[in-house]
Amino acid sequence: MKSLLHITNGDSFTSRLQSLQFKGDVITWREMLCEGKTLSTVGSESFWKTRFEFLNKNYKVSKSWFIEKTLKEYRSLCNHKQQDQIVLWFEYDLFCQINMLAVISWLKQHRRHAEISLVCSGKIEGSTKLHGLNELDDDKLMELYENKKVLSQDDIEYADYIWQLYCSDNPIRLENQIANNDFQFEYLSDALKTHLKRFPAIKNGLNDLENHILEVAKQEKPKSRKELMRELLNNQGFYGFGDTQYDRMISSLKPLFCSFDPVKLTKKGLDVLKMEANYYSELRDNQMYLGGSLKYNFLYNTETDRILKL
């Protein structure tokens, strides 16, 4: 009898999986590696130290919470040494795909002999919208599970390679991987495109998401900050971000808003959105990382979809 371990993308899906009484233990990967500095050595002491510093500084995550929620679960993963089948449950978006790469990189190092499979939600027959795991009914979820992809050694090596590139100090090398479809990661190339668009645009110094926030504020005329947030969460394409992430972004753009009740942009905000003013110098933060790269050391050319080093 083969023994089984499931690694999920978050607590709410873990509860769902447990309620469906799948065989095997379930571990939750509680991280958001799409934000802040990452080191390629997943699980090392310096890796967790770097992560805690980022989460503590930017999201006020306390040491006790980090130990209790993230490290305890990670240690539980370390203690699951016997399972010969490991199933990863992740989604199509940037948030999930980056976490997935890190987990595969860790497994490559520490669970060489296990068979690793991937269950990844996104496209559904008859729907134009991409779906998260919790949006699927039980039958669809079972169907996805039955059709899970067993990752070959090449797939695992490739995921690890992309993780190394994500953690490197130069995102330009990731550009060359976007067209690479020889592996079983159907949503990875869109996630990488989305990642690269998080570097500031040449024209106005805001990245894709920051421009989107201003655009929604102008077009949708939300009546409150809460309504702006709801609008952003509902239409976010490949990002898969949570409300705390959006809240932090809106706060960094605060000087471009003259009111949040209702939501209104200042004249400067409108000029930045029209690409008639550049906000790069006001936003520049020499401590802000995306993976291993400093966000403000690179610019994104929206006309060629290429990254430039400053």
Side-chain angles (χ1 to χ4, degrees):
M1 193 49 196
K2 290 202 164 182
S3 61
L4 195 58
L5 175 67
H6 302 274
I7 302 175
T8 75
N9 66 334
D11 289 296
S12 60
F13 186 68
T14 290
S15 311
R16 171 92 186 276
L17 208 54
Q18 286 165 335
S19 74
L20 290 172
Q21 292 172 344
F22 272 81
K23 282 193 182 73
D25 292 347
V26 186
I27 297 273
T28 311
W29 183 256
R30 290 199 186 105
E31 246 293 6
M32 45 185 262
L33 298 169
C34 59
E35 273 210 36
K37 189 173 185 181
T38 57
L39 303 183
S40 60
T41 50
V42 182
S44 67
E45 202 174 315
S46 50
F47 173 86
W48 289 123
K49 185 173 181 288
T50 301
R51 292 307 298 160
F52 172 68
E53 282 165 5
F54 166 75
L55 293 166
N56 176 257
K57 183 184 165 195
N58 294 282
Y59 290 102
K60 306 284 177 273
V61 167
S62 68
K63 199 162 214 168
S64 56
W65 191 96
F66 188 70
I67 290 169
E68 188 56 37
K69 293 289 184 187
T70 301
L71 291 187
K72 221 179 201 178
E73 200 69 357
Y74 171 68
R75 286 191 192 119
S76 175
L77 173 61
C78 295
N79 292 334
H80 280 78
K81 293 189 171 82
Q82 305 312 320
Q83 282 82 357
D84 38 25
Q85 288 186 323
I86 298 172
V87 182
L88 310 179
W89 296 82
F90 285 95
E91 296 174 7
Y92 62 87
D93 54 62
L94 174 71
F95 190 108
C96 262
Q97 292 286 302
I98 300 296
N99 281 341
M100 173 194 80
L101 293 175
V103 172
I104 295 173
S105 176
W106 186 87
L107 291 170
K108 172 183 178 268
Q109 185 85 17
H110 300 279
R111 296 291 179 271
R112 287 176 187 282
H113 306 297
E115 178 191 275
I116 300 165
S117 311
L118 176 62
V119 180
C120 198
S121 72
K123 295 178 188 133
I124 281 189
E125 218 172 295
S127 170
T128 51
K129 179 184 171 303
L130 293 164
H131 292 73
L133 289 165
N134 266 331
E135 297 174 287
L136 304 179
D137 63 30
D138 293 355
D139 291 346
K140 274 269 183 288
L141 213 51
M142 287 309 291
E143 191 185 317
L144 207 55
Y145 178 68
E146 272 147 30
N147 295 319
K148 62 186 175 292
K149 295 171 175 173
V150 177
L151 301 182
S152 69
Q153 194 53 41
D154 283 351
D155 294 326
I156 292 165
E157 297 282 352
Y158 180 68
D160 178 55
Y161 174 61
I162 297 293
W163 172 249
Q164 306 297 325
L165 291 185
Y166 180 78
C167 296
S168 77
D169 62 2
N170 188 344
I172 293 171
R173 288 157 65 206
L174 272 176
E175 275 183 346
N176 310 328
Q177 297 304 322
I178 283 174
N180 202 341
N181 294 322
D182 305 339
F183 299 91
Q184 299 196 71
F185 305 105
E186 179 178 2
Y187 304 105
L188 187 54
S189 120
D190 281 315
L192 294 179
K193 276 184 212 160
T194 304
H195 165 59
L196 294 176
K197 286 180 182 171
R198 296 192 295 163
F199 290 91
I202 293 172
K203 287 185 172 172
N204 69 356
L206 298 192
N207 69 15
D208 180 61
L209 206 44
E210 291 155 350
N211 276 307
H212 179 62
I213 290 170
L214 297 192
E215 189 64 54
V216 168
K218 180 177 175 254
Q219 296 301 339
E220 304 299 328
K221 300 180 175 50
K223 294 193 174 46
S224 64
R225 186 170 172 148
K226 206 172 174 179
E227 201 175 294
L228 170 63
M229 185 89 87
R230 195 162 54 236
E231 198 66 50
L232 293 167
L233 286 167
N234 288 341
N235 298 297
Q236 54 170 324
F238 273 93
Y239 285 97
F241 284 0
D243 48 4
T244 49
Q245 289 169 292
Y246 277 111
D247 197 50
R248 179 167 164 251
M249 265 179 273
I250 294 167
S251 295
S252 72
L253 298 172
K254 214 171 179 179
L256 299 178
F257 289 86
C258 54
S259 153
F260 281 110
D261 188 18
V263 176
K264 267 191 183 154
L265 298 177
T266 60
K267 180 180 183 309
K268 174 120 189 217
L270 291 166
D271 288 348
V272 168
L273 187 56
K274 284 187 278 194
M275 311 286 171
E276 288 167 8
N278 199 301
Y279 203 60
Y280 175 87
S281 58
E282 284 92 335
L283 274 181
R284 184 177 180 130
D285 172 351
N286 292 329
Q287 297 302 308
M288 192 176 284
Y289 282 84
L290 293 172
S293 308
L294 282 162
K295 178 177 174 181
Y296 291 97
N297 279 5
F298 298 88
L299 291 174
Y300 188 79
N301 184 339
T302 48
E303 284 170 11
T304 59
D305 289 329
R306 306 290 300 199
I307 290 266
L308 306 167
K309 187 168 183 0
L310 274 176

